[in-house]
Amino acid sequence: MWLGPEEVLVANALWVTERANPFFVLQRRRGHGKGGGLTGLLVGTLDVVLDSSARVAPYRILHQTQDSQVYWTVACGSSRKEITKHWEWLENNLLQTLSIFDNEEDITTFVKGKIHGIIAEENKNLQPQGDEDPGKFKEAELKMRKQFGMPEGEKLVNYYSCSYWKGRVPRQGWLYLSVNHLCFYSFLLGKEVSLVVQWVDVTRLEKNATLLFPESIRVDTRDQELFFSMFLNIGETFKLMEQLANLAMRQLLDSEGFLEEKALPRPTRPHRNISALKRDLDARAKNECYRATFRLPRDERLDGHTGCTLWTPFNKLHIPGQMFISSNYICFASKEEDACHLIIPLREVTIVEKADSSSVLPSPLSISTKSKMTFLFANLKDRDFLVQRISDFLQKMPSKQPGGSGGGRKASTADPAPERPPAPAEAADQPSPTSPLGGRQGSSVQEAPTASQGLLKLFQGNSPMEDLGAKGAKEKMKEESWDIHFFEYGRGVCMYRTAKTRELVLKGIPESLRGELWLLFSGAWNEMVTHPGYYAELVEKSMGKYSLATEEIERDLHRSMPEHPAFQNELGIAALRRVLTAYAFRNPTIGYCQAMNIVTSVLLLYGSEEEAFWLLVALCERMLPDYYNTRVVGALVDQGIFEELTRDFLPQLSEKMQDLGVISSISLSWFLTLFLSVMPFESAVVIVDCFFYEGIKVILQVALAILDANMEQLLGCGDEGEAMTVLGRYLDNVVNKQSVSPPIPHLHALLTSGDDPPAEVDIFDLLKVSYEKFSSLRADDIEQMRFKQRLKVIQSLEDTAKRSVVRAIPGDIGFSIEELEDLYMVFKAKHLASQYWGGSRPTAVRRDPSLPYLEQYRIDASQFRELFTSLTPWACGTHTPVLAGRMFRLLDENRDSLINFKEFVTGMSGMYHGDLTDKLKALYKLHLPPALSPEEAESALEATHYFTEDSSSEASPLASDLDLFLPWEAQETPRQEEQERGGNEDGQEKRGDFFLPTHRGESDQPSRLSALPSHVGQRERGSEGDN
């Protein structure tokens, strides 16, 4: 059959060439057919051991060119007849055509395109109908559930034939990857291997190759290391495992986000041999990459992408790359990384038309925008289909168009005004079109000058550049450079973003353009114009609302750049309060985190309140994911990356830094505030410029450059304090000699007292060095490292939570620390199971990571019953469910139908470690409220009569307690209603008496107390039998 061309570096290993021509080679697998010797025998044995689905076909055809060492597989066959048919087709249809080409690269491109076309034609009518997975997957899913005891809710994503290395012996079998578990099963020569690992327990996942384990995937948990060697599709398998482990980490970090992501949509038309879940996960990965590359809103979904060329008027070239289309944007990324990036919002598009094809410009497509820019794409496959998709999306635009009315698409195309963030100079005279000045907002926002311009503009005014001397002239040159750039490359959202753009950013953005370009490069502008009035509504809704977040905000307001005049008065403080409170109201999961105030105060200097708000959204939710939550997980992850990069780039310094423990101390303050809290303001803001263009990469580069510059001094440091002083003194002397703003005193300047301060370091020189030495960092590599570190960080936080919970358990509980940790893991697993398969269970509601550790994991009555049955010594036949239900109600102190780990362990301890009297008292309480449910009141009544009639007068005190219980039971419902209306403290106290019945006579009449529980149990069993 025809195969999608794949690269083969060693063409003759394990294969024998049978036929060849200048462009193709037909080969037979050694060991197939006659002869082959020892090598053939070994290869044949290997092929037989492999499962039939992974078995290598005995014949194949490779494409080659004369001067290239690389081969491409284009076909394989199980028989000589099949492969000969393909060979003859190639000779008859392609050889003559290929001989015309002069360029070998063109030959390979043509062959690959032709083979892909043949495959598409063959598969066109082979897609399964309906929306169910193919039967093969259903069969494998059922097999997995049966083999590993999984419930129906556990969905298989994909399965692979592979080997699990048990010691030095590989066990061939099947690896099943489900949403929540990794499972492996092998049965070979009478030996069975069965593994089940929860994704939430994975602490390390990596693809590696060693002498012992040929190209394999390593999976670590807290107590085992597993190696799987894949003979087929190791890249695909590892990618899928990464995605599933990421989902699990998201569940531990924020189960609300996990539950949203877990609801995977059903596909409309699944491909053969690809499960619906896997297909969706692949699409999700593409979406995330698309949004990250072009800084698009989090709800943007990629519709498709295709190869094409883009005509770039600034250098008169057709640049090859990929066009991406989603419901609101058309984007382009060149093959060469820095050549050109382009973002065209569909709300800006006025005309889409097909131009005439020519040999120079095949299948061209022209797109015009309101800003009078025209973009010319060419070499588009399926151009008609592409135009139709764009037209469909344009038809849907009016409903999402800001301020759009029922006028349809005409309303948006008729407006000639280009969409571009106004420069602050313009903003001083009139508000930006989407600033929160109109409509529904509180008067405090409406009247505030910060609603239309940045604080810097308000506090510095319009000082002529001529008054600033050389600095002013330099600033004027920067502005002129950007004006020329705008003229050549466009201005606004649709600007061509190239290596030239980066060069200008690295030279420093002029203050007059800083706010505008931050909005563009971060993607905040797109979100702002598509949500007009949103910020004003949030401010209005959050006014007068008090929460933990607002208390923390008030506490930190006056600590936000107190040295800057803009925040030494109520105007700046009030603006900062509104932005931070609005964001806490928008995103209660984050609420407010320290360091947000410092970053937001800088954003307010260069933009209006609304612009600062949307920049903060871009920072917290896209550019610095998970940085500003209660556990600053994102910053800890990037701290781990920083440590790893230090080992790679500065190995001689890495070990010293680890010994001193410096990296963990410095990196959090550097990363959380983007150097704003540790460097003079006018210098740090240049790093922020680069950050909005490049992302976290530039922060890591600068951090490495700082360590590199101080290497000699750091190597000579004796302790952490000395190292911190060295770095602090260095950072205090990073200056921006080009800044036109008045110098702002830096709070850390005290570090330079005493000895002579170190020499000044120009911020632009520091940036230049960081790019020269560490620019090999790539965004893809950083994301890969983030995944690896996220596993470590979240599992480390989970271990900390476990230790904290175990420490909170009283010392007299009877269990050892190890036993408590084991019980905690069992308890946590039971809670997580409710999120896997719980549906509408109370425990399936999202876990709040901001709660105390003890309250984060809880179980309900049915889960407790399962644990009670499997763990407790009191499980006894048919009475176990009744006993478990009563024990649960007894332990549930706050009556929310959930118990935490401490309550669970208290019950377990009583059953395992209590003395005889404690156990009897516990059993006695199981026959009284609250353990007794209202339905069981009748059996309690019978028990009371039994004691009253049969017991001696000595038993009267306890009997009277039971008698007192009866009228209380009768009045329980009205009393509860009373408590709900206003609370009846006396009633609650009386209820408390019956939770723990009075123990009069316990010390002087033990025999009577010991006899009671057994009588109660016998009487109750009799009544159940009668019923």
Side-chain angles (χ1 to χ4, degrees):
M1 66 178 177
W2 298 108
L3 300 174
E6 289 188 6
E7 204 170 309
V8 177
L9 293 177
V10 184
N12 295 316
L14 309 182
W15 295 85
V16 178
T17 300
E18 292 200 341
R19 288 171 131 181
N21 61 42
F23 303 107
F24 297 100
V25 178
L26 189 155
Q27 294 184 329
R28 172 178 54 80
R29 182 83 163 169
R30 289 184 190 274
H32 184 81
K34 297 178 181 178
L38 179 61
T39 307
L41 183 62
L42 290 173
V43 175
T45 304
L46 177 66
D47 290 346
V48 170
V49 170
L50 283 174
D51 184 87
S52 59
S53 65
R55 201 171 289 159
V56 180
Y59 296 97
R60 70 178 183 182
I61 298 175
L62 303 179
H63 163 64
Q64 63 163 5
T65 51
Q66 288 179 349
D67 297 333
S68 174
Q69 299 299 313
V70 178
Y71 291 72
W72 300 83
T73 57
V74 295
C76 70
S78 57
S79 66
R80 187 178 295 275
K81 181 179 178 182
E82 181 185 4
I83 205 71
T84 303
K85 181 181 175 185
H86 289 329
W87 178 264
E88 289 175 351
W89 188 92
L90 290 170
E91 284 192 323
N92 295 334
N93 293 279
L94 286 190
L95 280 187
Q96 189 174 355
T97 308
L98 296 179
S99 60
I100 299 171
F101 287 87
D102 296 325
N103 189 326
E104 290 193 351
E105 195 174 312
D106 292 344
I107 294 174
T108 301
T109 304
F110 180 85
V111 169
K112 287 161 68 177
K114 192 67 180 175
I115 299 300
H116 280 303
I118 295 169
I119 294 170
E121 189 66 24
E122 284 183 348
N123 292 343
K124 188 164 60 177
N125 300 317
L126 296 179
Q127 299 290 351
Q129 299 301 311
D131 61 351
E132 291 298 318
D133 282 356
K136 191 176 176 184
F137 266 91
K138 287 295 178 189
E139 185 181 336
E141 190 169 54
L142 290 171
K143 188 176 178 182
M144 177 201 72
R145 289 180 192 152
K146 183 179 179 182
Q147 190 68 56
F148 302 102
M150 300 285 179
E152 194 172 334
E154 185 68 359
K155 299 293 185 185
L156 178 66
V157 180
N158 212 350
Y159 61 106
Y160 301 92
S161 173
C162 71
S163 289
Y164 161 62
W165 291 81
K166 193 169 184 180
R168 297 194 175 192
V169 180
R171 298 296 178 89
Q172 183 66 29
W174 288 97
L175 181 70
Y176 297 90
L177 304 180
S178 71
V179 175
N180 304 301
H181 296 86
L182 174 154
C183 307
F184 177 82
Y185 182 77
S186 170
F187 186 83
L188 200 63
L189 302 175
K191 293 186 178 180
E192 184 181 61
V193 177
S194 183
L195 295 171
V196 178
V197 176
Q198 291 188 85
W199 288 116
V200 291
D201 291 333
V202 173
T203 58
R204 182 176 180 180
L205 180 65
E206 62 186 26
K207 184 171 61 171
N208 52 25
T210 64
L211 290 174
L212 181 60
F213 301 117
E215 199 173 26
S216 61
I217 293 176
R218 175 177 175 174
V219 182
D220 287 7
T221 64
R222 287 176 179 81
D223 49 16
Q224 58 183 338
E225 295 177 1
L226 309 173
F227 289 88
F228 299 95
S229 183
M230 306 293 172
F231 292 98
L232 195 67
N233 291 330
I234 188 170
E236 176 195 318
T237 308
F238 183 71
K239 182 181 175 185
L240 179 57
M241 292 169 83
E242 271 190 330
Q243 290 173 311
L244 293 169
N246 248 329
L247 275 176
M249 293 307 105
R250 173 59 56 187
Q251 178 189 13
L252 291 176
L253 181 61
D254 171 20
S255 54
E256 182 177 39
F258 167 77
L259 291 170
E260 288 172 3
E261 291 187 45
K262 196 179 76 165
L264 303 174
R266 296 164 72 87
T268 53
R269 193 181 66 174
H271 298 286
R272 289 188 306 159
N273 299 327
I274 299 179
S275 78
L277 289 174
K278 172 154 189 334
R279 184 169 166 273
D280 183 82
L281 285 168
D282 290 342
R284 180 172 295 169
K286 287 181 181 177
N287 280 328
E288 288 171 359
C289 182
Y290 170 59
R291 290 192 295 262
T293 303
F294 299 105
R295 305 272 170 81
L296 300 178
R298 289 198 302 175
D299 56 355
E300 196 64 22
R301 299 283 183 270
L302 178 64
D303 186 70
H305 59 93
T306 182
C308 66
T309 57
L310 171 67
W311 169 252
T312 48
F314 50 86
N315 58 4
K316 308 290 190 294
L317 290 175
H318 291 281
I319 297 181
Q322 289 274 325
M323 175 194 277
F324 301 85
I325 298 176
S326 57
S327 52
N328 297 292
Y329 298 89
I330 298 171
C331 301
F332 174 85
S334 58
K335 282 185 179 177
E336 190 183 335
E337 191 176 358
D338 290 335
C340 184
H341 268 211
L342 180 65
I343 302 167
I344 309 172
L346 289 181
R347 62 179 180 270
E348 283 287 284
V349 172
T350 54
I351 299 170
V352 178
E353 59 183 354
K354 294 180 281 187
D356 294 334
S357 288
S358 67
S359 57
V360 180
L361 205 64
S363 303
L365 178 68
S366 169
I367 298 175
S368 302
T369 67
K370 297 176 189 177
S371 53
K372 311 299 182 191
M373 292 181 76
T374 299
F375 303 97
L376 188 61
F377 298 92
N379 292 283
L380 287 159
K381 299 174 185 174
D382 298 324
R383 181 177 60 161
D384 293 342
F385 176 75
L386 194 66
V387 170
Q388 185 58 49
R389 289 302 290 163
I390 295 172
S391 300
D392 291 344
F393 287 133
L394 286 172
Q395 289 297 321
K396 297 172 185 174
M397 284 306 293
S399 61
K400 297 184 181 180
Q401 194 73 11
S405 57
R409 184 64 190 156
K410 292 179 183 176
S412 59
T413 55
D415 181 9
E419 185 179 283
R420 192 184 77 216
E426 300 167 12
D429 301 321
Q430 63 178 53
S432 64
T434 52
S435 64
L437 285 178
R440 308 164 297 183
Q441 69 258 17
S443 57
S444 59
V445 187
Q446 194 172 7
E447 296 164 6
T450 50
S452 59
Q453 55 190 315
L455 286 166
L456 210 59
K457 185 78 177 169
L458 290 170
F459 282 86
Q460 287 185 5
N462 289 311
S463 303
M465 288 297 172
E466 293 75 17
D467 298 349
L468 298 171
K471 287 185 178 179
K474 182 75 175 175
E475 186 77 358
K476 192 76 176 171
M477 286 174 61
K478 284 185 188 177
E479 289 179 359
E480 288 173 359
S481 297
W482 276 98
D483 286 339
I484 293 169
H485 185 78
F486 290 146
F487 179 77
E488 292 183 3
Y489 296 84
R491 185 169 186 173
V493 187
C494 300
M495 179 199 308
Y496 292 98
R497 303 171 197 214
T498 67
K500 176 70 173 174
T501 316
R502 174 188 286 158
E503 284 175 25
L504 285 177
V505 171
L506 287 175
K507 290 176 182 175
I509 297 176
E511 300 223 330
S512 60
L513 294 173
R514 189 162 270 146
E516 172 185 345
L517 293 176
W518 282 2
L519 284 167
L520 286 181
F521 296 149
S522 67
W525 177 254
N526 285 320
E527 293 194 273
M528 189 169 78
V529 297
T530 52
H531 296 83
Y534 177 78
Y535 168 70
E537 288 175 19
L538 279 180
V539 171
E540 186 178 347
K541 286 178 184 175
S542 60
M543 273 185 183
K545 301 283 174 62
Y546 294 96
S547 63
L548 180 62
T550 57
E551 286 178 23
E552 291 174 341
I553 289 168
E554 287 300 323
R555 186 183 64 217
D556 285 353
L557 282 175
H558 293 278
R559 303 177 191 171
S560 310
M561 293 188 69
E563 66 276 15
H564 198 288
F567 297 98
Q568 292 169 356
N569 65 83
E570 187 53 33
L571 179 65
I573 295 294
L576 183 59
R577 178 188 291 115
R578 283 191 292 270
V579 173
L580 289 173
T581 306
Y583 185 77
F585 200 79
R586 164 191 165 89
N587 191 344
T589 305
I590 291 177
Y592 170 77
C593 174
Q594 281 189 328
M596 285 172 69
N597 58 322
I598 295 171
V599 175
T600 308
S601 57
V602 174
L603 302 179
L604 278 166
L605 290 174
Y606 296 100
S608 68
E609 283 183 39
E610 186 178 27
E611 291 165 351
F613 170 80
W614 286 110
L615 281 167
L616 185 61
V617 169
L619 269 177
C620 295
E621 298 175 14
R622 288 188 285 107
M623 298 189 74
L624 296 175
D626 301 322
Y627 258 59
Y628 300 105
N629 56 28
T630 51
R631 298 188 283 181
V632 293
V633 170
L636 291 172
V637 167
D638 286 348
Q639 175 183 298
I641 293 176
F642 183 43
E643 290 181 14
E644 194 173 333
L645 291 173
T646 306
R647 283 194 297 274
D648 293 343
F649 288 101
L650 309 169
Q652 64 274 44
L653 184 60
S654 174
E655 191 173 337
K656 180 72 173 180
M657 297 294 280
Q658 290 295 329
D659 292 342
L660 297 176
V662 174
I663 287 186
S664 57
S665 303
I666 59 174
S667 53
L668 278 183
S669 58
W670 293 4
F671 296 163
L672 280 168
T673 65
L674 306 177
F675 289 99
L676 289 164
S677 66
V678 295
M679 199 181 276
F681 166 73
E682 56 273 12
S683 303
V685 80
V686 176
I687 295 179
V688 178
D689 292 342
C690 300
F691 168 75
F692 277 122
Y693 189 80
E694 293 272 42
I696 192 63
K697 168 187 168 180
V698 76
I699 303 295
L700 293 166
Q701 284 180 189
V702 170
L704 288 168
I706 291 168
L707 293 187
D708 185 46
N710 292 277
M711 186 181 298
E712 287 185 19
Q713 288 177 279
L714 289 171
L715 288 172
C717 289
D719 57 37
E720 181 185 359
E722 189 179 349
M724 294 291 288
T725 303
V726 167
L727 292 170
R729 285 160 60 86
Y730 177 86
L731 288 167
D732 279 339
N733 287 275
V734 176
V735 297
N736 180 0
K737 296 176 181 176
Q738 300 177 14
S739 174
V740 293
S741 298
I744 298 165
H746 186 45
L747 292 182
H748 289 179
L750 57 95
L751 288 170
T752 60
S753 60
D755 302 333
D756 293 332
E760 288 185 340
V761 180
D762 189 275
I763 181 62
F764 296 103
D765 291 340
L766 179 61
L767 278 169
K768 184 180 178 184
V769 169
S770 78
Y771 272 87
E772 286 174 353
K773 291 191 174 182
F774 309 110
S775 61
S776 58
L777 282 177
R778 293 172 51 85
D780 294 346
D781 297 333
I782 291 173
E783 281 308 308
Q784 187 68 39
M785 294 166 80
R786 272 181 167 171
F787 164 74
K788 183 178 172 183
Q789 293 297 331
R790 194 178 293 120
L791 284 179
K792 289 182 183 177
V793 167
I794 294 181
Q795 295 296 10
S796 173
L797 290 170
E798 287 296 304
D799 289 341
T800 302
K802 178 174 69 177
R803 288 192 293 271
S804 299
V805 169
V806 169
R807 279 199 302 267
I809 305 300
D812 60 353
I813 206 75
F815 291 110
S816 67
I817 296 294
E818 292 76 15
E819 288 173 331
L820 284 172
E821 289 183 348
D822 289 343
L823 281 172
Y824 176 80
M825 295 308 291
V826 172
F827 186 87
K828 173 182 165 183
K830 189 58 69 175
H831 167 91
L832 293 174
S834 67
Q835 293 197 321
Y836 299 160
W837 314 304
S840 58
R841 267 181 163 162
T843 45
V845 177
R846 104 174 170 88
R847 173 176 66 95
D848 186 355
S850 64
L851 287 173
Y853 289 131
L854 200 59
E855 296 295 327
Q856 289 186 18
Y857 294 115
R858 297 183 294 172
I859 59 175
D860 61 21
S862 63
Q863 292 170 310
F864 176 79
R865 189 184 309 121
E866 293 168 16
L867 290 179
F868 185 92
T869 304
S870 58
L871 294 177
T872 66
W874 286 12
C876 52
T878 56
H879 291 282
T880 301
V882 175
L883 207 57
R886 293 186 181 189
M887 180 62 78
F888 179 84
R889 288 191 291 274
L890 185 66
L891 296 173
D892 183 16
E893 294 178 4
N894 59 357
R895 307 287 168 267
D896 63 351
S897 299
L898 296 170
I899 63 171
N900 62 28
F901 181 67
K902 185 177 180 180
E903 292 166 336
F904 171 71
V905 168
T906 302
M908 292 290 292
S909 175
M911 287 180 275
Y912 270 104
H913 299 293
D915 59 25
L916 184 59
T917 304
D918 291 333
K919 291 178 181 177
L920 288 170
K921 279 197 284 188
L923 195 56
Y924 174 60
K925 290 175 194 173
L926 295 183
H927 295 79
L928 291 177
L932 202 66
S933 66
E935 294 80 18
E936 295 169 322
E938 186 179 345
S939 61
L941 177 61
E942 292 177 7
T944 308
H945 289 326
Y946 179 85
F947 288 128
T948 307
E949 294 165 7
D950 298 345
S951 300
S952 65
S953 59
E954 288 180 348
S956 59
L958 283 174
S960 65
D961 276 346
L962 289 168
D963 288 333
L964 283 170
F965 153 68
L966 293 174
W968 175 87
E969 179 68 34
Q971 297 171 24
E972 181 181 20
T973 306
R975 186 166 297 172
Q976 282 178 344
E977 291 172 0
E978 235 176 74
Q979 287 171 7
E980 286 170 8
R981 286 196 298 271
N984 186 333
E985 292 180 8
D986 294 334
Q988 287 175 344
E989 286 173 10
K990 195 171 286 185
R991 246 179 117 171
D993 291 341
F994 292 112
F995 291 172
L996 299 172
T998 53
H999 301 309
R1000 287 172 290 172
E1002 274 185 24
S1003 57
D1004 56 339
Q1005 295 152 334
S1007 59
R1008 173 174 49 85
L1009 182 64
S1010 301
L1012 281 175
S1014 64
H1015 286 313
V1016 175
Q1018 289 168 9
R1019 185 63 178 167
E1020 187 175 23
R1021 285 197 293 274
S1023 67
E1024 285 179 0
D1026 295 339
N1027 293 336

